Amino acid sequence: MSSILEQIEKEITALKPGVSKTNTGVITAVADGVAKAEGLSQVMYNEMVEFPHGITGIALNLEEDEVGIVCLGDANLLKQGDEVKTTGRLLSVPVGRVMLGRVVDAIGQPVDGKGPIDATEHYPIEKIAPGIIPRKSVDQPLQTGIMAIDSMIPIGRGQRELIIGDRQTGKTTIAIDTIINQAKINRQGLASGDESFRPVYSIYVAIGQKNSTIARTINALEKAGALEYTIIVVAAAAENAANLFLAPFAGTAMGEWFMQNGMDALIIYDDLTKQAAAYRQISLVLKRPAGREAYPGDVFYLPSRLLERSARLNPDNGNGSLTALPIIETQAGDVAAYIPTNVISITDGQIFLETDLFNQGIRPAVSVGLSVSRVGSAAQIKATKQVAGRVKLELAAYRELAAFAQFGSDLDARTRRQLDRGSRTVELFKQPAYSPKAVEIQVALLWAMQNDHFDDIEVEDIVSAASSLEDYLSTGKQDLLGKILSQKKLDESIEAELTEAVTAWRSTFKSA
């Protein structure tokens, strides 16, 4: 009887929190970056395990007789019969301000050659998303610096807005522009000494890209002075599938630290199509049953548990936010494919980029008809609402009219005027890469367009005219721009000053 009691006591002690019990097993098979092990009776799902040669892994398949473990290092160094130990902890990554300006891998280790990261805190990569009660509705703008997006498809802090389109349509450029714009706003806001100013810190997760592409992105951010406000998480194409699968979760944990500590962060996943493909690869090797397009049945849960962690918290919970801009690559514009529809159903809207528009030189190639923001004008300042309220409808109507107008030459005056205005708006929205515009400049340019100041300028000259007006206002009318920025709305006095400034600019532009 006493021996039975002793055995029960031992079992209870082993279950007590804080009592660590290392469980040891042996590898029975290794193939394609996945190890099968037996003897790990106490292992937990998603627990980190240790192999020889300093290699770690994650327990993903808990079967009756064995455990399927995805290796995070070089699985070629492992062999049948090697020992494997549990660690009693979930996979965690370093977090905090100390990560800013650094390039790290999928488990938070530096890969930029700048030395070790002295982080005092670690967050688990998998965490339950904030519930309904701690959240707050999205009502604070997150300016991308891209006129077409800020005016027609506004993004708010805490929103999840999908960027979707075929290869080579400018998806990454939009994401990088947004990061650069946050850095510009941060520098301006911190220099102003305004204590209420809240900077936005960025996390860029590169998934399955070539090293040369990642290096180009890092150089663009460094050149624009945005790297000091950014964490870059890298899982390159040459790395194993486990790293591509884990990198977005690691980046989210780093972003969550800012949100939980009352700050604002932006995370970009570039792109989740490759994460889903990596998860499919891991699942097939782990012998999980395949479903539609060979993806496992739980592939919807992969992006959903990732993106649900982006939120705007209410003041009682720190008032922080994490905004997500996931990127999805489509094949021949097929938004109804499995992974695109999965992510569209999770997010709060999408920015759809069209290959045809891109090839016509309309960049960013934003499709007005297929793009939407489910937060809408709640994520705009009043000045933007005043000048951009009608733009999306006007541009959508223009696209429809332009398609019909090419078949007939006899158009009434109203239709000709609508086509004329639409073509000028399309030109106004053209914007080169890595040159985001401040919100006050956007408001001034849109106001000039809405008030017919570009109507007598040739359509092919609109881009240069807008650039000329931007230079004129930036160099000689800083007070006016400052008023728009501080008041966040256009009153009669500001509109009178805008009329005077634009009229003065027109005389110089015509003479030039």
Side-chain angles (χ1 to χ4, degrees):
M1 187 70 177
S2 60
S3 62
I4 295 170
L5 287 172
E6 283 170 16
Q7 185 62 34
I8 293 169
E9 220 168 85
K10 277 182 188 174
E11 294 293 332
I12 292 169
T13 307
L15 291 170
K16 280 182 182 175
V19 176
S20 175
K21 184 177 178 183
T22 303
N23 202 210
T24 307
V26 291
I27 296 174
T28 55
V30 185
D32 300 315
V34 168
K36 294 288 181 79
E38 60 180 24
L40 300 177
S41 57
Q42 305 291 324
V43 73
M44 300 180 288
Y45 180 71
N46 259 356
E47 184 179 354
M48 277 183 75
V49 296
E50 290 176 351
F51 295 110
H53 312 293
I55 298 168
T56 56
I58 299 179
L60 283 183
N61 260 30
L62 307 184
E63 296 165 22
E64 194 172 352
D65 300 318
E66 61 183 9
V67 178
I69 303 163
V70 175
C71 305
L72 296 180
D74 185 3
N76 295 323
L77 298 172
L78 304 177
K79 62 185 187 300
Q80 189 177 352
D82 280 350
E83 191 179 78
V84 53
K85 291 180 185 174
T86 59
T87 61
R89 64 181 193 275
L90 301 175
L91 180 59
S92 301
V93 290
V95 294
R97 286 180 186 273
V98 72
M99 304 295 289
L100 293 170
R102 300 303 301 267
V103 183
V104 297
D105 63 13
I107 52 173
Q109 299 303 310
V111 291
D112 53 7
K114 295 180 183 176
I117 295 172
D118 187 22
T120 55
E121 280 186 81
H122 288 73
Y123 268 26
I125 63 164
E126 292 264 20
K127 211 173 180 188
I128 295 171
I132 299 296
I133 304 302
R135 292 181 186 238
K136 182 180 187 292
S137 59
V138 175
D139 59 4
Q140 199 175 357
L142 185 129
Q143 304 287 350
T144 64
I146 300 164
M147 279 185 73
I149 294 172
D150 289 342
S151 59
M152 297 189 294
I153 319 147
I155 299 169
R157 296 188 187 189
Q159 190 175 344
R160 299 153 303 176
E161 183 80 5
L162 173 64
I163 301 170
I164 185 168
D166 286 3
R167 285 185 73 247
Q168 303 294 322
T169 49
K171 299 185 299 296
T172 300
T173 304
I174 285 178
I176 300 305
D177 271 351
T178 306
I179 293 176
I180 291 170
N181 197 49
Q182 302 320 306
K184 283 174 72 175
I185 294 169
N186 289 352
R187 277 196 296 274
Q188 190 180 346
L190 293 169
S192 70
D194 181 3
E195 290 183 9
S196 64
F197 175 75
R198 294 168 61 93
V200 176
Y201 301 101
S202 305
I203 300 101
Y204 177 78
V205 186
I207 311 156
Q209 296 179 31
K210 293 185 294 184
N211 282 323
S212 59
T213 307
I214 296 167
R216 201 159 53 241
T217 299
I218 294 168
N219 286 338
L221 291 173
E222 202 160 19
K223 194 175 175 184
L227 200 57
E228 61 182 296
Y229 298 106
T230 310
I231 304 166
I232 296 175
V233 183
V234 171
E239 295 183 34
N240 63 28
N243 286 0
L244 273 64
F245 157 63
L246 290 171
F249 291 102
T252 306
M254 293 170 196
E256 267 181 334
W257 181 87
F258 291 102
M259 178 176 74
Q260 299 289 355
N261 285 277
M263 290 174 271
D264 295 319
L266 162 72
I267 185 162
I268 285 148
Y269 307 103
D270 191 6
D271 64 271
L272 291 186
T273 317
K274 294 187 178 73
Q275 189 206 18
Y279 187 60
R280 173 172 58 185
Q281 183 182 329
I282 290 167
S283 299
L284 292 173
V285 173
L286 285 168
K287 304 285 191 291
R288 292 181 178 178
R292 178 177 160 188
E293 294 176 33
Y295 286 103
D298 66 340
V299 76
F300 176 83
Y301 186 48
L302 180 70
S304 72
R305 72 180 190 266
L306 188 70
L307 293 168
E308 283 298 327
R309 290 159 70 181
S310 297
R312 173 88 191 274
L313 300 180
N314 60 34
D316 294 339
N317 288 275
N319 210 23
S321 74
L322 179 60
T323 309
L325 295 183
I327 293 174
I328 286 287
E329 186 182 294
T330 53
Q331 305 289 329
D334 183 14
V335 292
Y338 192 27
I339 300 303
T341 49
N342 273 356
V343 185
I344 284 169
S345 65
I346 297 160
T347 50
D348 308 313
Q350 69 273 346
I351 297 163
F352 184 74
L353 303 179
E354 281 190 63
T355 308
D356 289 348
L357 292 178
F358 188 85
N359 293 337
Q360 289 168 30
I362 299 169
R363 301 173 189 175
V366 176
S367 165
V368 184
L370 290 174
S371 300
V372 65
S373 170
R374 296 191 183 99
V375 170
S377 61
Q380 284 177 319
I381 61 170
K382 191 173 180 184
T384 306
K385 287 183 208 176
Q386 287 173 275
V387 294
R390 303 192 309 272
V391 170
K392 191 174 185 190
L393 282 174
E394 285 175 359
L395 211 50
Y398 161 74
R399 294 251 193 259
E400 293 295 320
L401 279 173
F404 288 109
Q406 61 186 325
F407 300 115
S409 55
D410 190 19
L411 300 171
D412 62 275
R414 183 173 174 273
T415 304
R416 272 202 303 273
R417 193 165 59 250
Q418 203 167 350
L419 285 169
D420 199 45
R421 170 60 63 85
S423 58
R424 282 175 163 74
T425 306
V426 167
E427 291 297 308
L428 182 70
F429 281 155
K430 285 184 181 178
Q431 202 169 325
Y434 311 144
S435 58
K437 295 186 193 299
V439 66
E440 60 273 24
I441 290 288
Q442 292 184 29
V443 168
L445 292 175
L446 280 166
W447 180 91
M449 175 64 75
Q450 294 286 7
N451 286 276
D452 308 332
H453 291 289
F454 287 124
D455 284 8
D456 57 349
I457 296 170
E458 294 295 326
V459 172
E460 57 269 23
D461 293 332
I462 292 291
V463 173
S464 59
S467 178
S468 169
L469 177 55
E470 183 180 343
D471 290 342
Y472 178 82
L473 293 170
S474 300
T475 52
K477 299 291 177 183
Q478 293 99 328
D479 289 348
L480 173 57
L481 295 176
K483 281 181 190 174
I484 296 170
L485 186 61
S486 59
Q487 293 187 25
K488 294 185 171 56
K489 64 177 182 179
L490 300 181
D491 56 23
E492 287 181 11
S493 65
I494 289 178
E495 290 205 44
E497 284 188 59
L498 273 169
T499 305
E500 188 184 324
V502 174
T503 306
W505 161 77
R506 278 165 59 84
S507 62
T508 60
F509 183 73
K510 277 182 181 176
S511 61

